[in-house]
Amino acid sequence: MNVLGIETSCDETAFSIVKDGKEILGEVLSSSLKYHKKYGGIIPEIASRMHLEVEVALFKELLKKTKLNYKDIDLVAVTCGPGLLGSLLVGVSFAKAIAYALNKPLVGVNHLHAHLYPVFFNHNLDFPFIGLVVSGGHTNLFYVRDFLNLELLGKSLDDACGEVLDKIARILDLGYPGGPFIERMAKKGNPKSLSFSPIKTKAPLDFSFSGIKTAVVYYLKKRGFLSGLKRIPLSLKYDLCASFQEVIFNSLIEKSFLACRLKKVNRLVIGGGVACNQYLREKFLSSSLKEKIKVYFSPLQHCQDNASMVAGLGYGLFKKGKSDSFDLEVFTD
Ligand code: KG4
Ligand code: ZN
């Protein structure tokens, strides 16, 4: 079964065709990131306009690339939330139009659940498992009984993990999106050089990252760095990045393993943009040895937003009996 996946929840317009939830026949992606960079964050109106501008040409490019015809598509899967309202509406309207024109079924996919799917491109994983989604908009822990039955165990009470990396990167004037810049800076710093308090939350599986951002701001203010008169030395930026990244990543690791222990599951799946971070991947893997938990990371090329994860999960949901009518609605969070 060839599934067309459509992803437009944020700044990426992406299409993919995946066969039987396993074999990626082709994928195309256009990002409007360069139009947002100067604002230091995504501007929703620009994102939705750019989806509209590129979607038809991009879809045609996918058909050309895969040497497939419209008629070879058996199912249309589309991200219907969470995400930016305007952006989601563009993708969902496109999906409805294609499904209607081809007289094929339509299935709406939750973007966060889809971030846990790419592991299935390389593994035949058993259910249940614990899923950690670490992206720019969310930090969520799920108990995944199957893809129709996910229990939210914990989430960020304030900033998402990627969001806080992006915000601190802006304070340090590193660039947007911040995660990759911080990863590079942190490699040159000492994670033990500055001590940030460990993150505490009332419910043990929830996350909280905004306190770290405030601690970084106070640290810099106290030393006169945020007045615009004094430049932050590069060596201090290295140590700061290494130190706060360490505290943030320790929190992700501790809570994910705690969820595994509480649910008595020894499989942990990790997806979302922050999972691109090589240091996080290594830290998770080395900690997992003593916990006897098998950690599965999304393949690097599918950690960030993409349409193959949507097509893959769409197939899984359809096989379990889910399909949507043309009344399918979008949701923002
Ligand atoms: O999953 P994603 O592409 O989009 C959302 O659904 O939000 O994640 C984007 C986030 C950004 O906050 C970005 O800074 C972060 O992923 N990110 C990283 C790395 N690459 C991207 N964070 C840490 N290390 C990286 N190498
Ligand atoms: Zn995402």
Side-chain angles (χ1 to χ4, degrees):
M1 178 180 238
N2 291 336
V3 183
L4 171 67
I6 303 176
E7 161 62 42
T8 65
S9 65
C10 193
D11 58 322
E12 278 95 6
T13 320
F15 292 93
S16 169
I17 298 179
V18 175
K19 189 177 173 193
D20 299 333
K22 278 280 173 203
E23 191 188 342
I24 300 170
L25 301 181
E27 48 188 4
V28 286
L29 184 146
S30 164
S31 169
S32 59
L33 184 65
K34 62 172 185 271
Y35 301 104
H36 307 281
K37 272 192 171 162
K38 65 176 170 197
Y39 304 105
I42 303 296
I43 307 297
E45 285 74 17
I46 297 179
S48 46
R49 262 171 229 273
M50 291 313 294
H51 290 311
L52 261 180
E53 250 175 56
V54 301
E55 62 183 354
V56 174
L58 209 57
F59 176 54
K60 285 184 177 162
E61 188 187 321
L62 176 70
L63 292 180
K64 209 167 152 195
K65 197 171 170 182
T66 53
K67 298 191 177 67
L68 293 173
N69 193 284
Y70 296 96
K71 294 193 187 92
D72 298 319
I73 294 168
D74 304 305
L75 170 70
V76 180
V78 62
T79 296
C80 56
L84 303 172
L85 180 64
S87 294
L88 289 165
L89 283 171
V90 176
V92 168
S93 306
F94 192 88
K96 287 178 182 174
I98 297 266
Y100 183 76
L102 300 177
N103 196 21
K104 297 293 175 186
L106 172 74
V107 61
V109 167
N110 181 308
H111 179 86
L112 300 179
H113 303 174
H115 266 305
L116 297 174
Y117 193 86
V119 161
F120 287 81
F121 292 133
N122 299 335
H123 299 275
N124 290 318
L125 204 71
D126 288 330
F127 292 93
F129 58 81
I130 297 296
L132 171 69
V133 178
V134 262
S135 71
H138 295 83
T139 312
N140 287 10
L141 265 175
F142 293 103
Y143 177 55
V144 187
R145 291 186 187 87
D146 64 56
F147 276 122
L148 268 180
N149 192 345
L150 290 93
E151 181 187 340
L152 182 64
L153 300 175
K155 63 178 171 40
S156 179
L157 302 173
D158 37 59
D159 290 349
C161 185
E163 185 182 0
V164 87
L165 295 176
D166 294 341
K167 285 181 177 171
I168 299 179
R170 191 156 56 191
I171 295 165
L172 297 176
D173 203 17
L174 300 179
Y176 179 81
F181 288 100
I182 289 175
E183 177 173 18
R184 253 174 274 146
M185 303 290 282
K187 271 189 195 148
K188 298 183 181 161
N190 174 1
K192 295 199 176 83
S193 56
L194 304 164
S195 69
F196 290 107
S197 323
I199 300 163
K200 291 210 168 66
T201 51
K202 212 165 155 195
L205 296 180
D206 279 338
F207 299 94
S208 171
F209 298 114
S210 70
I212 287 281
K213 179 187 64 197
T214 312
V216 172
V217 169
Y218 275 121
Y219 181 91
L220 292 170
K221 260 196 182 157
K222 224 168 130 185
R223 287 155 184 83
F225 286 119
L226 294 183
S227 60
L229 299 171
K230 210 168 139 189
R231 288 176 78 101
I232 308 170
L234 207 51
S235 59
L236 176 60
K237 286 191 184 180
Y238 294 154
D239 283 343
L240 264 173
C241 287
S243 303
F244 69 71
Q245 190 186 247
E246 190 73 9
V247 180
I248 291 173
F249 289 176
N250 281 342
S251 164
L252 294 176
I253 293 171
E254 276 163 27
K255 284 160 192 273
S256 302
F257 289 154
L258 176 62
C260 291
R261 287 197 295 275
L262 291 175
K263 288 291 186 183
K264 299 188 172 50
V265 177
N266 64 358
R267 286 175 296 277
L268 173 65
V269 171
I270 306 174
V274 181
C276 289
N277 190 295
Q278 212 54 48
Y279 181 63
L280 177 69
R281 293 169 91 96
E282 285 159 16
K283 229 172 132 52
F284 251 114
L285 291 175
S286 58
S287 318
S288 69
L289 298 176
K290 51 182 181 292
E291 297 276 347
K292 297 201 175 61
I293 291 167
K294 180 103 175 86
V295 179
Y296 298 87
F297 271 99
S298 261
L300 266 183
Q301 69 274 26
H302 291 115
C303 282
Q304 289 184 273
D305 291 352
N306 66 87
S308 294
M309 67 183 194
V310 177
L313 179 55
Y315 172 82
L317 295 173
F318 186 73
K319 283 279 151 191
K320 287 209 145 273
K322 183 181 189 294
S323 70
D324 287 290
S325 74
F326 292 117
D327 291 334
L328 174 68
E329 290 193 0
V330 301
F331 58 97
T332 51
D333 56 19

